[in-house]
């Protein structure tokens, strides 16, 4: 292109302005960043703190806080190349990063935190170490997305100055991983824990048994894993966690402030156990692929035989038999062994889709399970069908299907975990073109996953009765981490925000912009997420 003299005269001021703009400092505003979940309040002062090689992390608190400080140093070291030292300090330093557990904090929520950033000092304070940890997740999102890259990055590490005051709307912010239909290894589960904790998720529910596989070692019933855990949906290789591996997962989750909840699905979804021990079987016939065969009359005599292993995805056809006392001896042993190695307060007994169990038998089962769980010093959780039994305020109900059952549970004093399948099931396909997932409940695009509130989803149930949200990921159609991540992301961050952020002040139109910007962070972490056309992704 050729310019005449007049063109050059008009172009010269533009060049000068461009040079001035490039040299001028750019105010950094945390309100414009890619924060998910959205904080309660954000104020900005328009300047920045620069993370450098000589920045130190100071801690004022317990031994656990030292491990949180080490976690922060480790998270920053790979991309920056900095070896940030962690030291104890009774007072705030003049410069650096200061983590303090402060019981006198104005933020009385035990998971709340205050993050203040000046040009010289970053301070994160909270009544608990968990709050400090959540403040660190926000701090990670205030840095450029390169901070999450797996190798050394050549960039300036600037953090916008200002103050963030934040705390969760709900105490229960969870996700569930089904390791029964397809098995996921210890390292897979740990990666999912890491990704979930980044969004302040604090519950990881493991679905450890189903018709297709038994995934947790029970020393008093060893065939459950050696035989019942040997296959998966589609006939592929199975697998299971030894008790030592399960404990290792729990210990790892603790460092991310996540509580592990074990689920053994009873009295239905039980074929892996029936195939392992014939004495548990009372006449169940394994259906052919794609078919559901009704349960025949129980054979309670000497002819009880193990069922065949099952690799299909039909539901509602297997059951324990209430007439067999061995059903309860089995249940007591399983709950006892798992409870003994689970420090968290909860035990999930399933209770869903027990179509092959007579209603009166089902109620008997749930009532007896309640006593067994209580005797092992755990709080029982069950899917919403358990509301038909004699539950009370000591039981937690997980709503997934029936609003009527949810209402019944609340009337009996039970608190609710909200996991409505039409909104919160991570295994549902995004749309009709999705290769992964199912759609028996709904197609759940990213906007549909986000545009609902816990407190108004069932209009007859008030907020006081709701503990929070849990997004289940069933594994009929997934067998590896790439597939898991594709279904979980980017919907899981939205579910995390529904559980953490106030309902007022957030909405799809502004959230999709934050999510689009936030895609850079997910890519940096190597998350194989679904690039919804409804989200303005920033590349």
């Amino acid at each position: 292109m050729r310019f005449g003299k007049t063109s050059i005269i008009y172009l010269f001021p533009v060049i000068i302005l461009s040079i001035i703009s490039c040299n001028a400092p750019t105010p950094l505003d945390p309100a414009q960043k890619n924060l998910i979940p959205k904080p309660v309040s954000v104020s900005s002062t328009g300047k920045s703190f620069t993370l450098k090689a000589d920045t130190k992390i100071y801690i004022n608190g317990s031994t656990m806080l030292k491990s949180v400080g080490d976690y922060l140093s480790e998270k920053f070291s790979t991309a920056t190349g900095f070896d940030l030292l962690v030291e104890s300090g009774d007072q705030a330093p003049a410069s650096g990063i200061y983590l303090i557990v402060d019981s006198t904090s104005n933020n009385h929520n035990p998971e709340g935190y205050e993050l203040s950033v000046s040009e010289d000092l970053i301070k994160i304070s909270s009544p608990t170490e968990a709050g400090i940890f959540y403040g660190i997740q926000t701090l990670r999102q205030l840095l450029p997305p390169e901070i999450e890259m797996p190798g050394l990055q050549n960039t300036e590490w600037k953090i916008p100055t200002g103050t963030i005051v934040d705390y969760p709307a709900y105490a229960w912010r969870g996700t569930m991983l089904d390791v029964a239909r397809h098995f996921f290894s210890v390292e897979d589960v740990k990666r999912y824990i890491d990704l979930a904790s980044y969004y302040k998720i604090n519950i990881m529910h493991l679905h450890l048994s189903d018709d297709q596989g038994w995934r947790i070692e029970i020393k008093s019933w060893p065939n459950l894993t050696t035989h019942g855990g040997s296959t998966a949906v589609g006939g592929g290789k199975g697998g299971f966690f030894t008790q030592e591996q399960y404990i290792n997962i729990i210990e790892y989750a603790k460092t991310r402030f996540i509580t592990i909840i074990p689920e053994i699905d009873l009295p239905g979804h039980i074929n892996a156990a029936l195939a392992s021990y014939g004495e548990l079987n009372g006449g169940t016939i394994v259906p052919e692929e794609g078919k559901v065969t009704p349960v025949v009359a129980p054979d309670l005599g000497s002819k009880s035989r193990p069922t065949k292993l099952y690799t299909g995805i039909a539901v509602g056809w297997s059951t324990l038999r209430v007439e067999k006392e061995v059903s309860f001896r089995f249940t007591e042993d399983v709950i006892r062994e798992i409870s003994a190695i689970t420090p968290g307060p909860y035990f999930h007994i399933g209770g869903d889709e027990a179509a092959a169990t007579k209603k009166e038998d089902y109620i008997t089962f749930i009532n007896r399970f309640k006593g067994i769980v209580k005797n092992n010093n755990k709080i029982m959780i069950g899917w919403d069908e358990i509301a038909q039994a004699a539950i009370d305020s000591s039981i937690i109900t997980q709503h997934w299907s029936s609003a009527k059952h949810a209402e019944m549970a609340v009337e009996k004093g039970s608190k609710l975990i909200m996991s409505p399948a039409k909104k919160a099931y991570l295994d549902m396909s995004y749309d009709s073109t999705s290769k992964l997932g199912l759609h028996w409940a709904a197609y759940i695009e990213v906007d549909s996953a986000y545009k609902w509130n816990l407190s108004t989803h069932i209009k007859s149930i008030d907020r006081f009765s709701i503990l929070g949200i849990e997004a289940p990921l069933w594994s009929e159609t997934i067998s590896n981490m790439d597939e898991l991540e594709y279904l979980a992301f980017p919907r899981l961050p939205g579910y995390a925000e529904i559980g953490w952020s106030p309902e007022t002040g957030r909405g799809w139109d502004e959230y999709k912009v934050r999510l689009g910007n936030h895609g850079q962070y997910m890519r940096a972490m190597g998350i194989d997420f679904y690039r919804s056309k409804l989200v303005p992704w920033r590349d």
Side-chain angles (χ1 to χ4, degrees), residues 118-137:
S118 69
E119 291 179 85
D120 299 313
L121 180 67
I122 295 173
K123 178 183 177 182
I124 304 177
S125 61
S126 172
T128 67
E129 292 84 0
I132 301 291
F133 181 82
Y134 298 136
I136 286 172
Q137 306 317 311

Side-chain angles (χ1 to χ4, degrees), residues 295-332:
V295 175
V296 299
D299 175 4
L300 303 181
S302 60
K303 294 182 180 180
S304 290
R305 296 286 185 269
T307 61
K308 296 178 182 179
L309 291 170
Y310 180 63
T311 60
I313 63 171
V315 299
W317 52 271
S318 65
T319 184
L320 292 173
R321 305 302 301 195
V322 76
E323 302 93 337
K324 290 193 166 191
E325 193 57 32
V326 68
S327 298
F328 298 102
R329 178 165 58 84
F330 161 78
T331 302
E332 288 172 351

Side-chain angles (χ1 to χ4, degrees), residues 91-113:
Q91 295 182 340
S95 63
I97 300 174
Y98 185 48
L99 311 178
I100 177 171
V101 174
D102 183 4
S103 60
T104 65
S105 169
N106 291 330
N107 195 335
H108 299 299
N109 189 302
E111 294 182 299
Y113 65 91

Side-chain angles (χ1 to χ4, degrees), residues 145-318:
E146 289 87 351
I147 195 65
E148 304 300 336
M149 293 292 286
L152 188 65
Q153 304 296 305
N154 183 21
T155 188
E156 276 195 304
W157 303 107
K158 290 186 176 293
I159 299 169
T161 57
T163 301
I164 294 175
V165 176
D166 203 12
Y167 47 86
Y170 291 91
W172 195 288
R173 305 175 308 280
T175 184
M176 186 217 77
L177 178 60
D178 171 15
V179 297
R181 270 52 177 269
H182 282 102
F183 181 65
F184 288 84
S185 69
V186 171
E187 292 308 311
D188 288 342
V189 175
K190 286 182 176 179
R191 173 158 170 82
Y192 195 39
I193 287 170
D194 275 335
L195 297 179
S197 68
Y198 183 69
Y199 298 100
K200 305 180 177 69
I201 294 289
N202 64 355
I203 296 289
M204 181 71 72
H205 167 181
L206 296 178
H207 185 76
L208 294 167
S209 71
D210 215 294
D211 290 316
Q212 299 86 352
W214 190 284
R215 308 303 185 194
I216 178 72
E217 177 189 25
I218 305 298
K219 295 184 184 297
S220 56
W221 297 75
N223 281 357
L224 289 173
T225 47
T226 57
H227 184 65
S230 63
T231 191
V233 165
K237 182 181 178 182
F240 65 91
F241 302 126
T242 66
Q243 292 194 5
E244 290 73 21
Q245 289 173 324
Y246 175 73
I247 291 169
N248 182 260
I249 289 171
I250 289 173
E251 292 302 314
Y252 187 83
K254 277 185 185 178
T255 68
R256 281 23 177 192
F257 296 88
I258 284 179
T259 298
I260 297 294
I261 297 177
E263 178 189 353
I264 299 297
D265 210 342
L266 303 163
H269 287 278
I270 197 67
N271 188 69
L274 305 184
S276 302
Y277 289 95
E279 59 265 42
L280 295 173
N281 183 28
T284 294
I285 297 177
V286 178
E288 296 178 15
E289 181 65 29
K291 297 180 180 179
V292 177
T293 304
V295 175
V296 299
D299 175 4
L300 303 181
S302 60
K303 294 182 180 180
S304 290
R305 296 286 185 269
T307 61
K308 296 178 182 179
L309 291 170
Y310 180 63
T311 60
I313 63 171
V315 299
W317 52 271
S318 65

Side-chain angles (χ1 to χ4, degrees), residues 350-378:
D352 62 318
E353 297 177 320
T357 313
K358 296 178 181 178
K359 183 174 180 179
E360 58 269 31
D361 293 348
Y362 176 83
I363 292 172
T364 299
F365 270 125
I366 300 303
N367 291 340
R368 289 194 64 172
F369 295 160
K370 179 177 71 172
I372 295 169
V373 172
K374 183 178 180 180
N375 289 341
N376 284 277
N377 300 310
K378 300 298 180 186

